[in-house]
Amino acid sequence: MNTAAVVVTVVGSLLTLTGVAFTARATTRAAQATARANTAAAQAAAEPNQRAEDRAAFEAIKTELRTELTVCREEVKGLRSLVRSFAWYVGELTAQMRSQGIEPPAPPARVDEYNRTGV
């Protein structure tokens, strides 16, 4: 074999190895890009399902809070009614004591405030 053939063979081999290296690197990068694209597509596909789950959870929490609020409002109404009844009853007892010449003890400050303001 002559020198020119050896040089051509060596250069050809080096160029082939370089081409293989570039091809391998490009293939690896393409595989990584495809994996990222598949991940993004899976996340995008899962987004509506996640939103539906979040919405269902929100609705459940909202329903529970509304139920609790309704119960609390009813309890407050009942307690207001009870306080008004007690206030009327104590007022009647106080009037009876005074009609008998007995001066009732002064009410606590909070009761006096309620009698003045209704709150």
Side-chain angles (χ1 to χ4, degrees):
M1 222 197 252
N2 64 16
T3 309
V6 171
V7 170
V8 169
T9 303
V10 170
V11 170
S13 295
L14 289 174
L15 288 175
T16 301
L17 286 174
T18 305
V20 168
F22 281 117
T23 302
R25 198 165 99 185
T27 302
T28 302
R29 287 185 178 168
Q32 290 171 347
T34 301
R36 285 192 301 270
N38 288 341
T39 301
Q43 287 175 344
E47 184 69 23
N49 291 338
Q50 183 62 45
R51 285 182 176 241
E53 289 175 17
D54 291 347
R55 181 74 178 171
F58 174 75
E59 289 296 329
I61 291 168
K62 188 170 74 170
T63 300
E64 181 182 343
L65 288 176
R66 282 187 175 161
T67 302
E68 287 180 21
L69 181 60
T70 300
V71 168
C72 286
R73 283 180 176 167
E74 290 172 4
E75 187 177 344
V76 167
K77 266 173 97 173
L79 289 172
R80 282 182 182 155
S81 174
L82 179 64
V83 167
R84 287 185 185 117
S85 294
F86 268 113
W88 178 83
Y89 180 69
V90 169
E92 288 295 312
L93 290 176
T94 300
Q96 284 182 9
M97 288 175 73
R98 286 189 176 134
S99 71
Q100 298 295 320
I102 302 169
E103 186 59 32
R110 180 66 181 105
V111 172
D112 189 43
E113 180 183 345
Y114 176 80
N115 287 335
R116 283 186 290 107
T117 64
V119 181

